[in-house]
Amino acid sequence: MPFIEHVSDSDLERLALERFVPALQTYGFCYVDSLLGEVAGGAVLEQVKEMHRSGALQDGRLAGSVPGIHRKSIRGDKIAWVSGSERGCEAISFLLNLIDKLVSMCASRLGNKAIRERSKAMVACYPGNGAGYVKHVDNPNCDGRCITCIYYLNKNWDAKEHGGVLRIFPEGKPYVADIKPLFDRLVFFWSDRRNPHEVQPSYATRYAITVWYFDSEERAEAKRRYLTATTQQKGSSSS
């Protein structure tokens, strides 16, 4: 059943409690198809394509540069950060509001996590030249990111021909999970070291929107660490 604009809160709650919470607790990841339906999902895709056409997407940055390692050998995507309030992002805003509702319905049932805020949305395009993103962990150092949510926008995607599979390596499990980046598919997974993952090389233009939800206590502690380190750096550079 596609979750169109008139989806009820009870439908969302059923999805949260019957699908997402048990899967996150058991496997550490979950996905659902036909989230918005053809019309609303298509509107999101058109807004993302327009961002791409207009040159709004820039090379994705790495957290730290490694001498002698070329950025594109690690990640080859082009990205833009959006809040959803920008002109031309109305459908993206609708998507983000829906995901916010889903996560808020899950949050109180996911242990001791205090999930009250999220990042801006990262709109990403892999341009189809074999670009991917090597195996990595979103939050290896307790920066506050708790749940990674990815919404895919790729119609008629054939993984055998086009590649671009999200491969998750669940920690301590004897299997990997291969998730195709199919149109109107939403994926959730824990952002920490439980879920190393990679984007396999893409041979067609591949679009996705990602948001991260924060554990507010871990996020506050990460900000304190950053401020302390910055203060110490300034003190040592002025002495």
Side-chain angles (χ1 to χ4, degrees), residues 174-193:
Y175 54 80
V176 299
D178 283 349
I179 300 173
K180 299 170 186 175
L182 305 183
F183 174 74
D184 208 18
R185 169 173 282 181
L186 180 70
V187 182
F188 280 28
F189 58 88
W190 298 120
S191 305
D192 58 23
R193 292 177 182 273

Side-chain angles (χ1 to χ4, degrees), residues 124-202:
C125 168
Y126 289 85
N129 55 1
Y133 198 153
V134 299
K135 186 178 177 183
H136 66 285
V137 172
D138 284 354
N139 175 14
N141 300 313
C142 298
D143 66 13
R145 285 181 288 178
C146 174
I147 296 174
T148 302
C149 301
I150 310 173
Y151 180 71
Y152 290 116
L153 289 155
N154 308 296
K155 293 189 175 185
N156 306 312
W157 192 268
D158 180 345
K160 286 194 175 75
E161 182 182 348
H162 302 138
V165 165
L166 171 71
R167 172 167 285 183
I168 301 175
F169 303 83
E171 184 185 55
K173 299 288 200 304
Y175 54 80
V176 299
D178 283 349
I179 300 173
K180 299 170 186 175
L182 305 183
F183 174 74
D184 208 18
R185 169 173 282 181
L186 180 70
V187 182
F188 280 28
F189 58 88
W190 298 120
S191 305
D192 58 23
R193 292 177 182 273
R194 284 174 284 185
N195 282 315
H197 55 283
E198 67 186 15
V199 177
Q200 296 183 342
S202 297

Side-chain angles (χ1 to χ4, degrees), residues 102-117:
L102 262 175
V103 172
S104 69
M105 289 168 175
C106 295
S108 63
R109 295 164 177 87
L110 294 174
N112 58 354
K113 302 292 184 187
I115 303 170
R116 299 192 193 97
E117 57 179 325

Side-chain angles (χ1 to χ4, degrees), residues 218-237:
E218 184 183 303
R219 181 75 168 162
E221 179 57 35
K223 287 177 179 175
R224 280 195 291 273
R225 284 199 311 270
Y226 176 77
L227 284 172
T228 301
T230 305
T231 305
Q232 288 172 345
Q233 279 180 347
K234 284 180 180 171
S236 62
S237 63

